[in-house]
Amino acid sequence: MAGSQRVQRVADTIQRELAALIQLELRDPRVGMVSITGVDVSRDFSYARVHVTVMKRPEPDTEVQLLEKTQAEEAVKALNKAAGFLRSLLSKRLKLRTTPKLQFHYDESIARGRYLSDLINDALDADRKRQP
């Protein structure tokens, strides 16, 4: 029980630190705006599976939008390529015996949630139009 709480605390810390490192230290133009939606750390702290969502940089007077899946996958490839660099920076910030190897994965949950929300809104609009 205590081990799983520690694993969760370490995962939360890695999530916060990686978000800052990607924003401040990573200079790859393929990455864009990355949001880390979750981190799963193995019990022995050897691997960390990082779930990310990639968004477009907003134009003035527009809202932030998700990238197409192929563009997002390119950003994830760039993050996986920079995983060693990010791991070395992370090891300097964290006081762990071993810093986990990072594996980035695209998280489709936000895009799926937006799609479902749009479907619900369309159904409500159609229902309002049908009622007198």
Side-chain angles (χ1 to χ4, degrees), residues 89-102:
L89 293 176
L90 195 61
S91 70
K92 294 174 186 172
R93 290 185 173 210
L94 300 179
K95 302 297 180 209
L96 295 174
R97 185 173 293 154
T98 60
T99 304
K101 292 180 183 174
L102 304 173

Side-chain angles (χ1 to χ4, degrees), residues 17 33 52 69 81 94 96 98 106 111 114 118-119:
E17 294 296 329
M33 288 179 53
V52 297
K69 187 171 181 177
K81 209 164 202 161
L94 300 179
L96 295 174
T98 60
Y106 180 64
R114 183 172 284 176
D118 289 344
L119 283 177

Side-chain angles (χ1 to χ4, degrees), residues 17 25 40 57 59 64 68-69 71 75 85-86 88 96 100 114 122 129:
E17 294 296 329
E25 301 292 334
D40 299 324
R57 294 217 183 262
E59 301 290 327
V64 175
E68 297 291 325
K69 187 171 181 177
Q71 294 171 323
F85 172 70
L86 290 170
S88 68
L96 295 174
R114 183 172 284 176
D122 292 345
K129 288 178 184 177

